[in-house]
Amino acid sequence: MGEIIGRVVDNKQIILKGYIDGAPKETDMELKLGKKMKLEAPKGSGAFLVKNLYLSCDPYMRARMRDFHGSYLTPFVPGSVVEGFGVSKVVHSDNPNFKPGDIVSGFTGWEEYSLIYKPEQLRKVQPDTIPLSYYIGLLGMPGFTAYVGFYEICAPKKNDYVFVSAASGAVGQLVGQLAKLHGCYVVGSAGTSQKVDLLKNKLGFDEAFNYKEEPDLDAALKRYFPHGIDIYFENVGGAMLEAVLLNIRVHGRIAVCGMVSQHSMSDPQGIRNLFNIITKRVRMQGFLQSDFLHLYPRFLEDVGSLYKQGKITYLEDISEGLESGPSAFAGLFSGKNIGKQVVCVAHE
Amino acid sequence: MGEIIGRVVDNKQIILKGYIDGAPKETDMELKLGKKMKLEAPKGSGAFLVKNLYLSCDPYMRARMRDFHGSYLTPFVPGSVVEGFGVSKVVHSDNPNFKPGDIVSGFTGWEEYSLIYKPEQLRKVQPDTIPLSYYIGLLGMPGFTAYVGFYEICAPKKNDYVFVSAASGAVGQLVGQLAKLHGCYVVGSAGTSQKVDLLKNKLGFDEAFNYKEEPDLDAALKRYFPHGIDIYFENVGGAMLEAVLLNIRVHGRIAVCGMVSQHSMSDPQGIRNLFNIITKRVRMQGFLQSDFLHLYPRFLEDVGSLYKQGKITYLEDISEGLESGPSAFAGLFSGKNIGKQVVCVAHE
């Protein structure tokens, strides 16, 4: 359905109600009608107007829901629209580099239409056989995070023993597959038997286990890694990190991508066995994909090509309708999603 | 006084009484007369007999006093003589590479005389203007730890803000001086005002503070590092590490050398804010000098030369007599020592 330029529409939006402390809940956000919006980019603004198609639910967004200004992420403003990565279609443009019909991915609002004043925060997508929603998943920030985390931080070698937590998630599932293609032995952890099944039977992990069914994570890791772990791709923090420190090998590497189990900034679980970092000479390194943007073109080429050759699979969990956004986002923190969580606002 | 070859002597020894759990105490060890010892290396053994001159008190030795076999260090045997680094003089030799009168440094026993069956664990020292005891300090394992930790792990750049904990200790005092020579801004922490004074007025640190007088370590670090910390040379662990994680800069490096504050393996303090590793993209890396032995000749040359040029100072705390060993060693864990703790068994 084409948009009629200049028409004034209601613009449904997802609003953050107020700052949060613990894990995000569906009720922390609400659907509202925004101000009436004219489907037009103001003349002379250099802006363009997009219709949002797919919105990305990413754990990092929790950090913007807190009243904490010491991070690289600026907090959302309570009462204002939530922002995040999305795939959108240009409806009207006052910017010569973007024209109506262009598909773009990048930074947008959790709303039906967004007026984009910072075009540098989006890039054009050349539609081909790759599903559009993948540009916020496999070929978007999560996929790129997996790519730079694995190749640039983990220093992988053939035959390394690799452990990935939150392994069926947006990032983890690609890390595991890249590690397999690299010749590593790969085990993933996840929180349901269905996810464990997908890891083993669809994503090609050598082994996988449900951490919720393991009363003793140390024992579980010893079972799956009798020779120890060379590389840990850290997505969860807390007890799993402690168990890994007991099982990491000499000169092991821990790429710290996320710590999704640590919901609260005021009382996170302490890691009590960091001493292993010395005795095993471990390198533990946090990273953000945004430090590696020079590698993005190579990533798109590499991973896009692997996908087209059928060497890589990507699991998505798509919830329908903007109104499903708060529930979909909150679900990330209880592991409700199976694969990359996407909100479909409109199909085209 | 020369030794009479073949004479049978009493050989005083320091014995570990039993395995320990918390911080080592003087009473965990005791002075005993060993078996009578003939001052002779058995014919055909390839061994050599040394008279121990200086013994090194190093925090890592605590790990060998525990009944824990999962480390790179094998536990001592209760009832047997304590081992460690020392500087010794060869008395009699059945090994063609060592002859009486040679000065050696390396692995020996906490006793008056040791029969060395593993000559590869010691190296000959060429006596010159450098004090012999420095071969277990400035030019021994602690100095080499400082050297590889700073240059190989910290990735230092001119003008970096460098923080060193346990800064007047055997390792820390050299890290700070190397960092100053590298053009960094260097602050150290220590546990007495006398040590703080030495750091500022003798070792050339830009600033230093007594952590025991700082009820709020975060506030202290903010005062000394208003722009944040680029490099933290970690010797203590616990609360200081948490405070550093609050003040580390983007792309900061933490070289984890020791965690001397974490006395007990059963209940160490948990680090609750590791999340900063991600947001600030921190590299935290444990290391052991023994992984870098190929750099030892360069280290000897570099640091020996800096010392001879007067560009480096080294503080030692020498306790007299083998019998002072247990007390000197235990003192490491309450910070009693000022500078490198050495036990002088004999002057020549």
Side-chain angles (χ1 to χ4, degrees):
Chain A
M1 179 182 76
E3 270 63 38
I4 297 165
I5 306 306
R7 206 176 94 184
V8 175
V9 298
D10 287 328
N11 189 24
K12 278 188 276 182
Q13 300 182 315
I14 301 292
I15 302 296
L16 177 70
K17 283 153 78 176
Y19 288 125
I20 67 172
D21 181 34
K25 299 182 303 295
E26 181 177 348
T27 51
D28 293 329
M29 291 160 273
E30 64 183 338
L31 184 77
K32 270 200 178 170
L33 282 187
K35 281 186 200 151
K36 296 276 180 189
M37 188 171 206
K38 196 173 179 184
L39 295 185
E40 196 174 77
K43 226 184 178 116
S45 65
F48 57 90
L49 183 103
V50 299
K51 180 181 186 180
N52 293 310
L53 305 179
Y54 296 99
L55 297 174
S56 180
C57 295
D58 295 302
Y60 84 86
M61 295 164 70
R62 174 180 57 181
R64 301 194 64 191
M65 298 183 172
R66 293 166 177 156
D67 190 15
F68 177 68
H69 296 259
S71 165
Y72 66 106
L73 295 163
T74 49
F76 291 135
V77 177
S80 297
V81 66
V82 169
E83 298 169 324
F85 291 106
V87 176
S88 314
K89 190 179 73 176
V90 177
V91 170
H92 185 248
S93 176
D94 187 57
N95 184 310
N97 298 319
F98 295 87
K99 60 178 199 304
D102 281 353
I103 300 295
V104 292
S105 78
F107 219 61
T108 188
W110 278 38
E111 56 192 350
E112 291 178 288
Y113 298 96
S114 298
L115 199 48
I116 306 291
Y117 281 99
K118 293 184 174 169
E120 69 277 10
Q121 295 189 339
L122 296 101
R123 51 171 71 85
K124 264 191 270 193
V125 166
Q126 299 306 332
D128 58 8
T129 59
I130 295 176
L132 284 188
S133 58
Y134 278 23
Y135 286 92
I136 48 175
L138 179 66
L139 296 177
M141 184 275 285
F144 188 48
T145 299
Y147 183 86
V148 300
F150 183 66
Y151 292 117
E152 303 299 312
I153 308 294
C154 291
K157 295 188 301 293
K158 198 166 182 264
N159 299 320
D160 273 351
Y161 296 101
V162 175
F163 177 50
V164 185
S165 53
S168 68
V171 178
Q173 58 174 309
L174 182 56
V175 172
Q177 294 180 82
L178 293 176
K180 280 305 298 172
L181 290 168
H182 204 76
C184 301
Y185 181 84
V186 185
V187 178
S189 65
T192 69
S193 57
Q194 187 188 0
K195 292 178 185 178
V196 167
D197 182 64
L198 287 166
L199 287 169
K200 291 201 280 191
N201 299 316
K202 195 161 164 77
L203 294 167
F205 282 57
D206 292 292
E207 285 289 350
F209 65 92
N210 180 348
Y211 70 91
K212 290 179 180 167
E213 287 177 356
E214 299 289 348
D216 182 342
L217 292 174
D218 176 30
L221 291 178
K222 285 192 166 47
R223 208 162 64 237
Y224 289 105
F225 294 100
H227 304 291
I229 297 167
D230 293 297
I231 289 173
Y232 175 43
F233 198 97
E234 165 68 300
N235 285 311
V236 301
M240 190 65 94
L241 177 55
E242 283 197 337
V244 167
L245 285 167
L246 294 174
N247 289 282
I248 196 134
R249 300 179 89 188
V250 164
H251 295 135
R253 288 83 71 199
I254 300 178
V256 189
C257 176
M259 291 190 166
V260 78
S261 78
Q262 304 299 294
H263 294 310
S264 163
M265 294 185 80
S266 44
D267 188 26
Q269 183 183 338
I271 302 297
R272 292 159 300 178
N273 59 355
L274 275 179
F275 196 86
N276 286 287
I277 282 187
I278 306 175
T279 54
K280 283 123 165 227
R281 296 88 102 186
V282 170
R283 174 164 57 79
M284 186 167 170
Q285 189 164 356
F287 71 100
L288 294 177
Q289 49 84 30
S290 48
D291 284 337
F292 297 91
L293 292 179
H294 58 287
L295 299 177
Y296 193 85
R298 199 181 81 187
F299 153 74
L300 269 189
E301 176 64 32
D302 285 359
V303 175
S305 154
L306 287 168
Y307 173 74
K308 287 177 188 165
Q309 293 169 59
K311 292 186 178 166
I312 274 185
T313 299
Y314 199 65
L315 303 179
E316 290 182 318
D317 196 330
I318 301 190
S319 73
E320 285 293 330
L322 182 65
E323 63 280 9
S324 72
S327 151
F329 178 71
L332 288 179
F333 300 91
S334 58
K336 231 178 70 184
N337 56 307
I338 296 178
K340 164 67 192 172
Q341 182 67 57
V342 173
V343 175
C344 177
V345 184
H347 285 273
E348 62 170 332
Chain B
M1 179 182 77
E3 270 63 38
I4 297 164
I5 306 307
R7 207 179 93 183
V8 174
V9 297
D10 289 328
N11 189 24
K12 279 188 275 181
Q13 301 182 314
I14 301 292
I15 303 295
L16 177 70
K17 285 154 76 175
Y19 288 125
I20 66 171
D21 181 34
K25 300 182 301 295
E26 181 176 349
T27 52
D28 294 328
M29 289 159 276
E30 64 184 338
L31 185 77
K32 269 200 176 170
L33 281 186
K35 283 188 199 151
K36 296 276 181 190
M37 188 171 206
K38 196 172 180 184
L39 293 184
E40 197 173 78
K43 220 175 184 123
S45 65
F48 57 90
L49 184 102
V50 299
K51 180 181 186 180
N52 293 309
L53 305 179
Y54 297 99
L55 298 174
S56 181
C57 295
D58 294 302
Y60 83 86
M61 295 164 70
R62 174 181 57 181
R64 300 195 64 191
M65 297 184 173
R66 294 166 176 156
D67 189 14
F68 176 69
H69 296 259
S71 166
Y72 67 105
L73 294 164
T74 50
F76 291 136
V77 177
S80 297
V81 66
V82 170
E83 298 170 323
F85 291 106
V87 176
S88 314
K89 189 178 72 176
V90 177
V91 170
H92 184 248
S93 177
D94 187 57
N95 184 310
N97 298 318
F98 295 87
K99 58 177 203 303
D102 281 351
I103 301 294
V104 293
S105 78
F107 220 61
T108 190
W110 278 38
E111 55 193 349
E112 291 177 289
Y113 297 96
S114 299
L115 199 48
I116 305 291
Y117 282 97
K118 294 184 175 170
E120 68 278 11
Q121 295 187 339
L122 296 100
R123 51 170 71 84
K124 264 191 269 194
V125 165
Q126 299 306 333
D128 59 7
T129 58
I130 295 177
L132 284 187
S133 57
Y134 278 23
Y135 285 93
I136 47 173
L138 179 67
L139 296 177
M141 184 275 286
F144 188 48
T145 298
Y147 183 85
V148 300
F150 183 66
Y151 292 117
E152 302 299 312
I153 307 293
C154 292
K157 295 189 301 293
K158 197 168 184 262
N159 298 320
D160 273 351
Y161 296 102
V162 175
F163 177 52
V164 185
S165 54
S168 69
V171 178
Q173 58 175 309
L174 182 56
V175 172
Q177 293 180 82
L178 294 177
K180 280 305 298 172
L181 290 168
H182 204 75
C184 302
Y185 181 84
V186 185
V187 178
S189 65
T192 68
S193 57
Q194 187 188 0
K195 293 179 186 179
V196 167
D197 182 64
L198 286 167
L199 287 170
K200 291 200 282 192
N201 299 318
K202 192 157 166 81
L203 295 167
F205 283 57
D206 293 291
E207 285 289 350
F209 65 92
N210 181 349
Y211 72 91
K212 290 178 181 168
E213 287 177 356
E214 298 290 348
D216 181 342
L217 292 174
D218 175 32
L221 290 178
K222 284 192 167 46
R223 206 162 67 237
Y224 289 105
F225 294 101
H227 305 292
I229 296 167
D230 292 298
I231 289 173
Y232 174 44
F233 198 96
E234 165 67 300
N235 286 312
V236 301
M240 190 65 95
L241 177 55
E242 283 198 337
V244 167
L245 285 167
L246 294 174
N247 289 283
I248 194 130
R249 301 179 89 186
V250 165
H251 295 135
R253 286 85 69 199
I254 300 178
V256 188
C257 176
M259 290 189 168
V260 79
S261 78
Q262 304 299 295
H263 294 311
S264 163
M265 294 186 82
S266 45
D267 188 27
Q269 183 184 338
I271 302 299
R272 292 160 299 177
N273 59 356
L274 275 180
F275 196 86
N276 287 287
I277 281 186
I278 307 175
T279 53
K280 284 131 165 215
R281 295 90 101 187
V282 170
R283 175 163 57 79
M284 184 165 172
Q285 188 163 355
F287 71 99
L288 294 177
Q289 47 84 29
S290 48
D291 284 336
F292 298 90
L293 292 179
H294 58 287
L295 299 177
Y296 193 85
R298 199 181 80 189
F299 153 74
L300 270 189
E301 176 64 33
D302 285 359
V303 174
S305 154
L306 287 169
Y307 173 75
K308 287 176 188 164
Q309 292 168 59
K311 293 185 177 166
I312 274 185
T313 299
Y314 198 66
L315 302 179
E316 289 182 318
D317 195 331
I318 301 189
S319 74
E320 285 292 331
L322 182 64
E323 63 280 8
S324 72
S327 151
F329 178 72
L332 287 180
F333 300 92
S334 59
K336 231 178 69 183
N337 57 306
I338 295 176
K340 164 68 193 171
Q341 181 67 57
V342 172
V343 175
C344 177
V345 184
H347 286 273
E348 61 169 333

